[in-house]
Amino acid sequence: MQKFDVLIVGAGMVGLTLALALRKTSQLKIAMVDTQAVTQLDDNIDVRVSAINVASKNIFSNLGVWPAIESNRAQDYQHMHVWDKAGLGKLDFSAQHSDIFPTEDNLGWIIENKVIRHALWQQAERDEGIHFFTDNKLASISHGDSEVFATFEQTENSPMTTPIISKLVVGADGANSWVRKQMNMEMIFKDYDHHAIVGTVECPQGHKNTAWQVFLPSGPLAFLPLQSAANNNSAVDLCSIVYSTAPDDAARLLALEPVEFAKELTAASDGKLGDIKLISERFSYPLTMRLAQDFVKQRVVLIGDAAHTIHPLAGQGVNLGLLDAAALAQTLTAKLDEHDENYTDFVNATDLKAFSRWRKTEATEMIAAMAGIKQAFEPQQSPIKLLRGLGMNLINNFTPVKNKLIAQALGIKADLPELAYQKDNL
């Protein structure tokens, strides 16, 4: 039997961030279970990317992993350009035009998921208090009054893994969370009736360090700026696309030849990035809103996509998850410095309920905001489209409202976990 303070199921970006955050301010002993090996970095750009905002960058900086992330194809952007294909409305955001965060020149960064996970994993491997279990999946979890007991599946080709006892189990194992299902934690579901198509494209006119998003009658299409691979001799800028559209339309687009697909992207973007060229495979996945009715059940906590998933049109999903990790670490370690190093009763039901309310409130607000934006850009009659365009243009020229929207994009809001602030403010 192996004993740990916290068992984290899922060593993705969110789970690894939690492990490092717990170790930053405590001596808690952490077990991490994940059979998906970390992807080694090479010159091939992954189509799976995340838009990292300033709050998340602060978390990575305070955990000491930002230099490793930034040095591996992290593309900063200072501008956002949003426009309505069916109307006249547009919005332009710039970090330099905001007083929200005067010490930050960027609105955010577009980074491959494998780059982030690799940096976090490498940092965690160097920490003697974090132990990885990568040979076998978990078979069961059961809990008593003060501990949780976890067993592993055993196969002929894998070594025997001794069961684990821990004070707390954290499900950071994604949208189809095994932990959530084991604990019968109820979820609210809503099908967005959209599939997202992702891929990598060349943009001959350059991305101009700008995140581009056009609202089409079929759904939003985003061009997220990427840093070219080290072995790419071309001077042409690259972008990651996220194209959300109805399932039938997504199937049609996936069936197109690459050249024809690229022509549709060029037309959809009004040629603002030049004649687009597809340089990767295309992948599609259905979009579903998920929200756990409670993020905590007994000695089990859900964070990240295990607790909530939202529409990707604002690129905030992973940022929500990283804040979950920072908030849970803060909740669990807040009282440890009041006791000696042998203090183990850090799992407090009242504190965990407060954590659940804290994070569920923000997730609910974000889900509502995404639903409102999506509905606002559904196909409408001409008078509605005109009003929508006028509203966008009014916001574009009204600084107080724009600053609030920029603050949302930066991730700057009330009640952030301490790790999400700049290091000088800690």
Coordinates of all heavy atoms in Angstrom, one line a residue, residues 92-170:
D92 N -12.2 45.9 -32.6 CA -10.8 45.8 -32.6 C -10.3 46.1 -31.2 O -10.6 47.1 -30.6 CB -10.2 46.9 -33.6 CG -10.5 46.5 -35.0 OD1 -9.9 45.5 -35.5 OD2 -11.3 47.2 -35.7
F93 N -9.5 45.1 -30.7 CA -8.9 45.2 -29.4 C -7.4 45.3 -29.5 O -6.8 44.6 -30.3 CB -9.3 44.1 -28.5 CG -10.8 43.9 -28.3 CD1 -11.4 42.8 -28.9 CD2 -11.5 44.8 -27.6 CE1 -12.8 42.6 -28.8 CE2 -12.9 44.6 -27.4 CZ -13.5 43.5 -28.0
S94 N -6.8 46.1 -28.6 CA -5.3 46.1 -28.5 C -4.8 46.3 -27.1 O -5.4 47.1 -26.3 CB -4.8 47.3 -29.4 OG -3.4 47.5 -29.2
A95 N -3.8 45.5 -26.7 CA -3.3 45.6 -25.4 C -2.7 47.0 -25.1 O -2.8 47.5 -24.0 CB -2.2 44.5 -25.2
Q96 N -2.2 47.6 -26.1 CA -1.5 48.9 -25.9 C -2.5 50.0 -25.7 O -2.2 51.1 -25.2 CB -0.7 49.3 -27.1 CG 0.6 48.4 -27.3 CD 0.3 47.1 -28.1 OE1 -0.8 46.7 -28.2 NE2 1.4 46.5 -28.5
H97 N -3.8 49.8 -26.0 CA -4.8 50.8 -25.9 C -5.6 50.7 -24.6 O -6.6 51.3 -24.4 CB -5.8 50.8 -27.1 CG -5.1 51.1 -28.4 ND1 -5.7 50.8 -29.6 CD2 -3.9 51.7 -28.6 CE1 -4.9 51.2 -30.5 NE2 -3.8 51.8 -30.0
S98 N -5.1 49.8 -23.7 CA -5.9 49.5 -22.5 C -5.1 49.9 -21.2 O -3.9 49.7 -21.2 CB -6.3 48.1 -22.4 OG -6.8 47.8 -21.1
D99 N -5.7 50.5 -20.2 CA -5.1 50.8 -19.0 C -5.3 49.7 -18.0 O -4.9 49.8 -16.8 CB -5.7 52.1 -18.4 CG -5.4 53.3 -19.3 OD1 -4.4 53.3 -19.9 OD2 -6.3 54.2 -19.3
I100 N -5.9 48.6 -18.4 CA -6.2 47.5 -17.5 C -5.0 46.9 -16.9 O -4.9 46.6 -15.7 CB -7.1 46.4 -18.2 CG1 -8.4 47.0 -18.7 CG2 -7.4 45.2 -17.3 CD1 -9.3 47.5 -17.6
F101 N -4.0 46.6 -17.8 CA -2.8 45.9 -17.4 C -1.6 46.6 -18.0 O -1.0 46.1 -19.0 CB -2.9 44.5 -17.8 CG -2.2 43.5 -16.9 CD1 -2.8 42.3 -16.6 CD2 -1.0 43.8 -16.2 CE1 -2.2 41.4 -15.7 CE2 -0.4 42.9 -15.4 CZ -1.0 41.7 -15.1
P102 N -1.2 47.8 -17.5 CA -0.2 48.6 -18.2 C 1.2 47.9 -18.3 O 2.0 48.3 -19.1 CB -0.1 49.9 -17.3 CG -0.7 49.5 -16.0 CD -1.7 48.4 -16.2
T103 N 1.4 46.9 -17.4 CA 2.8 46.3 -17.5 C 2.8 45.1 -18.5 O 3.9 44.5 -18.6 CB 3.1 45.7 -16.1 OG1 2.1 44.8 -15.7 CG2 3.2 46.9 -15.1
E104 N 1.7 44.8 -19.1 CA 1.7 43.7 -20.1 C 1.4 44.2 -21.5 O 0.4 45.0 -21.7 CB 0.6 42.7 -19.7 CG 0.5 41.5 -20.6 CD 1.8 40.8 -20.7 OE1 2.2 40.2 -19.7 OE2 2.3 40.8 -21.8
D105 N 2.2 43.8 -22.4 CA 2.1 44.3 -23.8 C 1.2 43.4 -24.7 O 1.0 43.7 -25.8 CB 3.5 44.5 -24.5 CG 4.3 45.6 -23.8 OD1 3.7 46.5 -23.3 OD2 5.5 45.4 -23.8
N106 N 0.9 42.2 -24.1 CA 0.2 41.2 -24.9 C -1.2 41.0 -24.4 O -1.5 41.0 -23.2 CB 1.0 39.9 -24.9 CG 2.4 40.1 -25.5 OD1 2.6 40.6 -26.6 ND2 3.3 39.6 -24.7
L107 N -2.1 40.6 -25.4 CA -3.5 40.2 -25.0 C -3.4 38.7 -24.6 O -4.3 38.2 -23.8 CB -4.4 40.4 -26.1 CG -4.9 41.8 -26.4 CD1 -5.8 41.9 -27.6 CD2 -5.6 42.5 -25.2
G108 N -2.5 38.0 -25.2 CA -2.4 36.5 -24.9 C -1.4 35.8 -25.7 O -0.6 36.5 -26.4
W109 N -1.4 34.5 -25.7 CA -0.4 33.7 -26.4 C -1.2 32.5 -27.0 O -2.0 31.9 -26.3 CB 0.7 33.2 -25.5 CG 1.5 34.3 -24.9 CD1 2.8 34.7 -25.4 CD2 1.2 35.2 -23.8 NE1 3.2 35.7 -24.6 CE2 2.3 36.0 -23.7 CE3 0.1 35.3 -23.0 CZ2 2.3 37.0 -22.7 CZ3 0.1 36.2 -22.0 CH2 1.2 37.1 -21.8
I110 N -0.8 32.1 -28.2 CA -1.3 30.8 -28.8 C -0.2 29.8 -28.7 O 0.9 30.0 -29.2 CB -1.8 31.0 -30.2 CG1 -2.8 32.2 -30.3 CG2 -2.4 29.7 -30.7 CD1 -4.0 32.0 -29.5
I111 N -0.5 28.7 -28.0 CA 0.6 27.7 -27.6 C 0.0 26.3 -27.9 O -1.1 26.0 -27.5 CB 1.1 27.9 -26.2 CG1 1.4 29.3 -25.8 CG2 2.3 27.0 -25.9 CD1 1.6 29.6 -24.4
E112 N 0.9 25.5 -28.5 CA 0.5 24.1 -28.7 C 0.3 23.4 -27.3 O 1.1 23.6 -26.4 CB 1.6 23.4 -29.5 CG 1.7 23.9 -30.9 CD 3.1 23.5 -31.4 OE1 3.3 22.3 -31.7 OE2 4.0 24.4 -31.5
N113 N -0.7 22.6 -27.2 CA -1.0 21.9 -25.9 C 0.2 21.0 -25.5 O 0.6 20.9 -24.3 CB -2.2 21.0 -26.0 CG -3.5 21.8 -26.1 OD1 -3.4 23.1 -26.1 ND2 -4.6 21.2 -26.3
K114 N 0.9 20.4 -26.5 CA 2.0 19.5 -26.2 C 3.2 20.3 -25.6 O 3.9 19.8 -24.8 CB 2.4 18.7 -27.4 CG 3.1 19.5 -28.5 CD 3.5 18.6 -29.6 CE 4.3 19.3 -30.7 NZ 4.7 18.4 -31.8
V115 N 3.3 21.6 -26.0 CA 4.4 22.4 -25.5 C 4.2 22.7 -24.0 O 5.1 22.6 -23.2 CB 4.5 23.7 -26.3 CG1 5.4 24.7 -25.6 CG2 5.1 23.4 -27.7
I116 N 2.9 23.1 -23.7 CA 2.6 23.4 -22.3 C 2.7 22.2 -21.4 O 3.4 22.2 -20.3 CB 1.2 23.9 -22.2 CG1 1.0 25.2 -23.0 CG2 0.8 24.2 -20.7 CD1 -0.4 25.8 -23.1
R117 N 2.2 21.0 -21.9 CA 2.2 19.8 -21.1 C 3.6 19.3 -20.9 O 4.0 18.9 -19.8 CB 1.4 18.7 -21.7 CG 1.2 17.5 -20.8 CD 0.4 16.4 -21.5 NE 0.2 15.3 -20.6 CZ 0.3 14.0 -20.9 NH1 0.6 13.7 -22.1 NH2 0.1 13.1 -20.0
H118 N 4.5 19.4 -21.9 CA 5.9 19.0 -21.8 C 6.6 19.8 -20.7 O 7.3 19.2 -19.9 CB 6.6 19.1 -23.1 CG 8.0 18.6 -23.2 ND1 9.1 19.4 -22.9 CD2 8.5 17.4 -23.4 CE1 10.2 18.7 -23.0 NE2 9.8 17.5 -23.3
A119 N 6.4 21.1 -20.7 CA 7.1 22.0 -19.7 C 6.6 21.7 -18.3 O 7.4 21.6 -17.4 CB 6.9 23.4 -20.1
L120 N 5.3 21.5 -18.1 CA 4.8 21.2 -16.8 C 5.3 19.8 -16.3 O 5.7 19.6 -15.2 CB 3.3 21.2 -16.8 CG 2.6 22.6 -17.0 CD1 1.1 22.4 -17.4 CD2 2.7 23.4 -15.8
W121 N 5.3 18.8 -17.2 CA 5.7 17.5 -16.9 C 7.2 17.4 -16.5 O 7.5 16.8 -15.5 CB 5.5 16.5 -18.1 CG 5.7 15.1 -17.8 CD1 6.8 14.4 -17.5 CD2 4.6 14.1 -17.8 NE1 6.6 13.1 -17.4 CE2 5.3 12.8 -17.6 CE3 3.3 14.1 -18.1 CZ2 4.6 11.6 -17.5 CZ3 2.6 12.8 -18.0 CH2 3.2 11.7 -17.7
Q122 N 8.0 18.1 -17.2 CA 9.4 18.2 -16.9 C 9.7 18.8 -15.5 O 10.5 18.3 -14.8 CB 10.2 19.0 -18.0 CG 10.2 18.3 -19.4 CD 11.0 17.0 -19.4 OE1 10.4 16.0 -19.5 NE2 12.3 17.2 -19.4
Q123 N 8.9 19.8 -15.2 CA 9.1 20.5 -13.9 C 8.6 19.5 -12.8 O 9.2 19.4 -11.8 CB 8.2 21.8 -13.9 CG 8.4 22.6 -12.6 CD 9.5 23.6 -12.7 OE1 10.5 23.3 -13.4 NE2 9.4 24.6 -11.9
A124 N 7.5 18.8 -13.1 CA 6.9 17.9 -12.0 C 7.9 16.7 -11.8 O 8.0 16.3 -10.7 CB 5.6 17.4 -12.5
E125 N 8.5 16.2 -12.9 CA 9.4 15.1 -12.7 C 10.7 15.5 -11.8 O 11.2 14.6 -11.2 CB 9.9 14.6 -14.1 CG 9.0 13.7 -14.8 CD 9.6 13.0 -16.0 OE1 10.4 13.6 -16.7 OE2 9.2 11.9 -16.2
R126 N 11.0 16.7 -11.8 CA 12.1 17.2 -11.0 C 11.8 17.4 -9.5 O 12.6 17.6 -8.7 CB 12.7 18.5 -11.5 CG 13.4 18.3 -12.9 CD 14.2 19.6 -13.3 NE 13.3 20.7 -13.6 CZ 12.9 21.0 -14.9 NH1 13.3 20.2 -15.9 NH2 12.1 22.0 -15.1
D127 N 10.5 17.3 -9.2 CA 10.0 17.5 -7.8 C 9.9 16.1 -7.1 O 9.0 15.3 -7.5 CB 8.7 18.2 -7.8 CG 8.2 18.7 -6.5 OD1 8.4 17.9 -5.5 OD2 7.7 19.8 -6.4
E128 N 10.6 15.9 -6.1 CA 10.6 14.6 -5.4 C 9.3 14.3 -4.7 O 9.1 13.1 -4.3 CB 11.8 14.5 -4.4 CG 11.7 15.5 -3.3 CD 12.9 15.5 -2.4 OE1 13.9 14.8 -2.7 OE2 12.8 16.1 -1.3
G129 N 8.5 15.3 -4.5 CA 7.2 15.1 -3.9 C 6.1 14.7 -4.8 O 4.9 14.5 -4.4
I130 N 6.4 14.7 -6.1 CA 5.4 14.3 -7.1 C 5.8 12.9 -7.7 O 6.9 12.8 -8.3 CB 5.2 15.4 -8.2 CG1 4.8 16.7 -7.6 CG2 4.2 14.9 -9.3 CD1 4.8 17.8 -8.6
H131 N 4.9 12.0 -7.7 CA 5.1 10.6 -8.1 C 4.2 10.2 -9.2 O 3.0 10.3 -9.1 CB 5.0 9.6 -7.0 CG 5.9 9.9 -5.8 ND1 7.1 9.3 -5.6 CD2 5.8 10.9 -4.8 CE1 7.7 9.8 -4.5 NE2 6.9 10.7 -4.0
F132 N 4.7 9.8 -10.4 CA 3.9 9.4 -11.5 C 3.6 7.9 -11.6 O 4.5 7.1 -11.3 CB 4.7 9.8 -12.8 CG 4.7 11.3 -13.1 CD1 5.7 12.1 -12.6 CD2 3.7 11.9 -13.9 CE1 5.7 13.5 -12.9 CE2 3.7 13.2 -14.1 CZ 4.7 14.0 -13.6
F133 N 2.4 7.6 -11.9 CA 2.0 6.2 -12.2 C 1.4 6.2 -13.6 O 0.3 6.6 -13.9 CB 0.9 5.8 -11.2 CG 1.4 5.8 -9.7 CD1 1.4 6.9 -9.0 CD2 1.8 4.6 -9.2 CE1 1.9 6.9 -7.7 CE2 2.3 4.6 -7.9 CZ 2.3 5.7 -7.1
T134 N 2.2 5.6 -14.5 CA 1.9 5.6 -15.9 C 1.7 4.3 -16.6 O 1.4 4.2 -17.8 CB 3.0 6.4 -16.7 OG1 4.3 5.7 -16.5 CG2 3.1 7.8 -16.2
D135 N 1.8 3.2 -15.8 CA 1.8 1.9 -16.4 C 0.3 1.3 -16.5 O 0.0 0.7 -17.5 CB 2.6 0.9 -15.6 CG 4.1 1.2 -15.7 OD1 4.6 1.5 -16.7 OD2 4.8 1.0 -14.6
N136 N -0.5 1.6 -15.5 CA -1.8 1.0 -15.5 C -2.9 2.1 -15.2 O -2.6 3.1 -14.5 CB -1.9 0.0 -14.4 CG -1.0 -1.2 -14.7 OD1 -1.0 -1.8 -15.7 ND2 -0.1 -1.5 -13.7
K137 N -4.1 1.9 -15.7 CA -5.2 2.8 -15.4 C -5.8 2.4 -14.1 O -5.6 1.3 -13.6 CB -6.3 2.6 -16.5 CG -5.9 3.1 -17.9 CD -7.0 2.9 -18.9 CE -6.6 3.4 -20.3 NZ -7.7 3.2 -21.2
L138 N -6.5 3.3 -13.5 CA -7.2 3.0 -12.2 C -8.4 2.1 -12.5 O -9.0 2.2 -13.6 CB -7.7 4.3 -11.6 CG -6.6 5.1 -10.9 CD1 -7.3 6.4 -10.3 CD2 -5.9 4.4 -9.8
A139 N -8.6 1.2 -11.6 CA -9.8 0.2 -11.7 C -10.9 0.7 -10.8 O -12.1 0.5 -11.2 CB -9.3 -1.2 -11.3
S140 N -10.6 1.2 -9.7 CA -11.7 1.6 -8.8 C -11.2 2.6 -7.7 O -10.0 2.7 -7.5 CB -12.3 0.4 -8.0 OG -11.3 -0.2 -7.1
I141 N -12.2 3.4 -7.2 CA -11.9 4.2 -6.1 C -13.0 4.1 -5.1 O -14.2 4.0 -5.4 CB -11.7 5.7 -6.4 CG1 -12.9 6.2 -7.3 CG2 -10.4 6.0 -7.2 CD1 -12.9 7.7 -7.6
S142 N -12.7 4.0 -3.8 CA -13.7 3.9 -2.7 C -13.2 4.7 -1.6 O -12.0 5.0 -1.4 CB -13.9 2.4 -2.3 OG -12.6 1.9 -1.9
H143 N -14.1 5.2 -0.8 CA -13.7 6.2 0.2 C -14.3 5.8 1.6 O -15.3 5.2 1.7 CB -14.1 7.6 -0.2 CG -15.5 7.7 -0.6 ND1 -16.5 7.8 0.3 CD2 -16.0 7.7 -1.8 CE1 -17.7 7.9 -0.4 NE2 -17.4 7.8 -1.7
G144 N -13.5 6.2 2.6 CA -14.0 6.1 4.0 C -14.1 7.5 4.6 O -14.2 8.5 3.8
D145 N -14.1 7.6 5.9 CA -14.3 8.9 6.5 C -13.1 9.8 6.4 O -13.3 11.0 6.3 CB -14.6 8.7 8.0 CG -16.0 8.0 8.3 OD1 -16.8 8.1 7.4 OD2 -16.1 7.4 9.3
S146 N -11.9 9.2 6.3 CA -10.7 10.1 6.3 C -9.8 9.8 5.1 O -8.8 10.5 5.0 CB -10.0 9.9 7.6 OG -9.6 8.6 7.8
E147 N -10.1 8.8 4.3 CA -9.2 8.4 3.2 C -9.9 7.9 2.0 O -11.1 7.5 2.1 CB -8.2 7.3 3.7 CG -7.2 7.8 4.8 CD -6.3 6.7 5.3 OE1 -6.7 5.6 5.4 OE2 -5.1 7.0 5.5
V148 N -9.2 7.8 0.9 CA -9.7 7.3 -0.3 C -8.8 6.1 -0.8 O -7.6 6.3 -0.7 CB -9.8 8.3 -1.5 CG1 -10.4 7.7 -2.7 CG2 -10.7 9.5 -1.0
F149 N -9.4 5.0 -1.2 CA -8.6 3.8 -1.6 C -8.8 3.7 -3.1 O -9.9 3.6 -3.6 CB -9.1 2.6 -0.8 CG -8.4 1.3 -1.1 CD1 -7.1 1.1 -0.6 CD2 -9.0 0.4 -1.9 CE1 -6.5 -0.1 -0.9 CE2 -8.3 -0.8 -2.2 CZ -7.1 -1.1 -1.7
A150 N -7.6 3.6 -3.8 CA -7.7 3.4 -5.3 C -6.9 2.2 -5.7 O -5.7 2.0 -5.2 CB -7.1 4.7 -5.9
T151 N -7.5 1.4 -6.6 CA -6.8 0.2 -7.1 C -6.5 0.4 -8.6 O -7.2 1.2 -9.3 CB -7.6 -1.0 -6.9 OG1 -8.8 -0.9 -7.6 CG2 -7.9 -1.3 -5.4
F152 N -5.6 -0.4 -9.1 CA -5.2 -0.3 -10.5 C -5.6 -1.5 -11.3 O -5.7 -2.6 -10.8 CB -3.7 -0.1 -10.7 CG -3.2 1.2 -10.2 CD1 -2.9 1.5 -8.9 CD2 -3.0 2.3 -11.1 CE1 -2.4 2.7 -8.5 CE2 -2.5 3.5 -10.7 CZ -2.2 3.7 -9.4
E153 N -5.9 -1.3 -12.6 CA -6.1 -2.5 -13.5 C -4.8 -3.2 -13.7 O -3.7 -2.5 -13.6 CB -6.6 -2.0 -14.9 CG -7.9 -1.4 -14.9 CD -8.3 -0.9 -16.3 OE1 -7.5 -1.0 -17.2 OE2 -9.5 -0.4 -16.4
Q154 N -4.8 -4.5 -13.8 CA -3.6 -5.3 -14.1 C -3.7 -6.0 -15.4 O -4.7 -6.6 -15.7 CB -3.4 -6.3 -12.9 CG -3.4 -5.7 -11.5 CD -2.2 -4.7 -11.4 OE1 -1.2 -4.8 -12.0 NE2 -2.4 -3.7 -10.5
T155 N -2.7 -5.9 -16.2 CA -2.6 -6.6 -17.5 C -1.4 -7.4 -17.6 O -0.4 -7.3 -16.8 CB -2.6 -5.6 -18.7 OG1 -1.4 -4.8 -18.6 CG2 -3.8 -4.6 -18.6
E156 N -1.4 -8.3 -18.5 CA -0.2 -9.2 -18.7 C 1.0 -8.5 -19.0 O 2.1 -8.9 -18.6 CB -0.6 -10.3 -19.8 CG -1.7 -11.2 -19.4 CD -1.9 -12.3 -20.5 OE1 -1.2 -12.2 -21.5 OE2 -2.8 -13.1 -20.3
N157 N 0.9 -7.4 -19.8 CA 2.1 -6.7 -20.3 C 2.6 -5.6 -19.4 O 3.5 -4.8 -19.8 CB 1.9 -6.3 -21.7 CG 1.5 -7.4 -22.6 OD1 2.1 -8.5 -22.5 ND2 0.6 -7.2 -23.6
S158 N 1.9 -5.4 -18.3 CA 2.3 -4.2 -17.4 C 2.7 -4.7 -16.1 O 2.2 -5.7 -15.6 CB 1.2 -3.2 -17.3 OG 0.1 -3.8 -16.7
P159 N 3.6 -4.0 -15.4 CA 4.0 -4.4 -14.0 C 2.9 -4.2 -13.0 O 2.0 -3.4 -13.2 CB 5.2 -3.5 -13.7 CG 5.0 -2.3 -14.6 CD 4.3 -2.8 -15.8
M160 N 3.0 -5.0 -11.9 CA 2.0 -4.8 -10.9 C 2.1 -3.5 -10.2 O 3.2 -3.0 -9.9 CB 2.2 -5.9 -9.8 CG 1.2 -6.0 -8.7 SD -0.3 -6.8 -9.2 CE -1.2 -6.9 -7.7
T161 N 0.9 -2.8 -10.0 CA 0.9 -1.5 -9.4 C 0.2 -1.6 -8.0 O -1.0 -2.0 -8.0 CB 0.3 -0.4 -10.2 OG1 0.9 -0.4 -11.5 CG2 0.4 1.0 -9.6
T162 N 0.8 -1.3 -7.0 CA 0.2 -1.4 -5.6 C -0.9 -0.3 -5.4 O -0.7 0.8 -5.9 CB 1.3 -1.2 -4.6 OG1 2.4 -2.1 -4.8 CG2 0.8 -1.4 -3.2
P163 N -2.0 -0.7 -4.8 CA -3.0 0.3 -4.5 C -2.5 1.5 -3.8 O -1.5 1.5 -3.1 CB -4.0 -0.5 -3.7 CG -3.8 -1.9 -4.1 CD -2.3 -2.0 -4.3
I164 N -3.3 2.6 -3.9 CA -2.9 3.9 -3.3 C -4.0 4.3 -2.3 O -5.2 4.1 -2.5 CB -2.8 5.0 -4.4 CG1 -1.6 4.8 -5.2 CG2 -2.9 6.4 -3.8 CD1 -1.5 5.8 -6.4
I165 N -3.5 4.8 -1.2 CA -4.4 5.5 -0.2 C -4.1 6.9 -0.2 O -2.9 7.3 -0.1 CB -4.2 4.9 1.2 CG1 -4.8 3.4 1.3 CG2 -5.0 5.7 2.3 CD1 -4.6 2.8 2.6
S166 N -5.1 7.8 -0.3 CA -4.8 9.2 -0.2 C -5.9 9.9 0.6 O -7.0 9.4 0.8 CB -4.8 9.8 -1.6 OG -6.0 9.8 -2.3
K167 N -5.6 11.2 0.9 CA -6.6 12.0 1.7 C -7.7 12.6 0.7 O -8.8 12.9 1.1 CB -5.9 13.1 2.4 CG -5.0 12.7 3.5 CD -5.7 12.2 4.7 CE -4.7 11.8 5.8 NZ -5.4 11.3 7.0
L168 N -7.3 12.8 -0.6 CA -8.2 13.4 -1.5 C -7.9 12.9 -2.9 O -6.7 12.7 -3.2 CB -8.0 15.0 -1.5 CG -8.9 15.8 -2.3 CD1 -10.3 15.9 -1.7 CD2 -8.3 17.2 -2.5
V169 N -8.9 12.8 -3.7 CA -8.8 12.4 -5.1 C -9.3 13.6 -6.0 O -10.3 14.2 -5.7 CB -9.6 11.2 -5.5 CG1 -9.5 10.9 -7.0 CG2 -9.0 9.9 -4.8
V170 N -8.5 14.0 -7.0 CA -8.9 15.1 -7.9 C -9.0 14.5 -9.3 O -8.1 13.9 -9.8 CB -7.8 16.2 -7.9 CG1 -8.3 17.3 -8.8 CG2 -7.7 16.8 -6.5

